[in-house]
Amino acid sequence: MSQVLVASNRGPVSFSLSGDGTLTMRRGGGGLVSGLAAVTGGPGQADGRRAGAGRDGPGALWVCAALGDGDREAARRAPDGRLDLDGHDIGGAAVRMLDIPAATFHRAYNAVANATLWFVHHLLYDTPSTPHFDARSRRDWQSYEAYNAAFADALARDAAAGAKAAIQDYHLSLAPRMLRDRRPDLKIVHFSHTPWAPPEYYRLLPDDIGERVLDGILGADHAGFLAERWAQAFLDCCALLPGAKVDRVAGTVTRGGHVTTVGVHGLGIDGDALRRRAAEPDVAARMEALREQVGDRRLIVRVDRTELSKNIVRGLAAYRELLVNHPEWRGRVVHLVFAYPSRYDLPEYREYTEAVREEAARITEEFGTPGWNPLILQVNDDFPRSLAAYRMADVLLVNPIRDGMNLVAKEAPVVSDNGCALVLSREAGAAAELADHALLVNPYDVSQTAEAIHRALLMPREECAARRKGLAAAATALPPRQWFADQLAALD
């Protein structure tokens, strides 16, 4: 078995630093961590985060960035950043955490990765006023280059001859080319967990930066995407790249004599692991607490980060329209909204979180009665509580403007106790796999979404159970281990 190296911004663990200098470790969050931990090894589920972690053969090394002060301190204390050599129990994983200077990391992560590339791929710009690329943007771009170079240097140093390197996501778009230049003997895959912008939107980027991002990914031997439409958009952008030859039949891009294959690798759920996690006592306790709040009313559930692309405000507006147009549901339904904080360093996200709070308060004020709270909004991350809500849900609302995949749409049907209907945005990558069993909506059409929720609430129990079965089968068809193995197999 060849040595496997994984590179991602977020690692399998994170650290908090107390006033007396004590470090406390917890498992890193997010679907990407779940998928990668299934192959590289990593901490289990004792702390209540997402299920799916496992262990694989020897030789796997995970390279990640220190995200905060606790991470930086842990990286500095560990021998050359190797957390597994400093007494940390990471479930058998070998982890190198890079202590990238805080200012460089901030500009690369917030200004470029999250405020530029994420906005482009999710079509989030208010184009009359943004983006605005100026001299400051160029300074930020230099930090993004330095951040990617730090990863390329670490991978080049740690890789054995002929090793396979799996570089993950938009944070590290330049790293494949940089690593190729340093270690041409390696086999490299880059995987994009986001959508990919169509050419006309991608060209909002400055010409040289747009070219550098494409050329960076084309340094890999294989470029992977979560859905066919994202892979095709990438090929469309590459077709405009000087010196690039795109073969759509073969799914390849050739530039400078190097061939990059392009493939689709959907990411699913480890169903058995998730069901075991959902049966734990802490989940049962949270179910009991939710039942006390909700009673015997029907439940509409959503679980999201307060991320602009997740479309939470329009989802709340759709619920309000449901209560206006179908007053028979007043007093008979509750909307559980778990909206976990995201990217609070960016003003757009702080403003969006406040907009979510305001819309939720409007609904409660307009419709609430002494005996009925129409909406419960929670903004603190609690995965066991999310699992409890999944198990109890009658309707799951997933209405992103645009989403690479969306694992929430796959998780809830797997653990649902009585079957839940899924109202799903057609712009989620998961729609390609779940469309036959979900109620698809245009995420911008609030009225259509409200009527889809109404239809879901009225759905006969037999139909709902049959749809849930189909959703669960599709959700577990490509578990994380297979998802990652397919990427590595594409290198052969």
Side-chain angles (χ1 to χ4, degrees), residues 405-411 413 422 424 428-440 467 470-476:
M405 175 56 65
N406 196 290
L407 290 181
V408 168
K410 295 187 172 186
E411 289 174 335
L422 172 62
L424 177 63
E433 302 167 38
L434 305 181
D436 290 344
H437 310 287
L439 302 179
L440 293 188
R467 285 177 179 264
L471 290 168
T476 56

Side-chain angles (χ1 to χ4, degrees), residues 56 96 220 265 285 312 330 372 398 439 475:
D56 212 279
R96 185 180 302 285
H265 310 282
I312 300 172
R330 298 179 194 177
W372 173 53
V398 180
L439 302 179

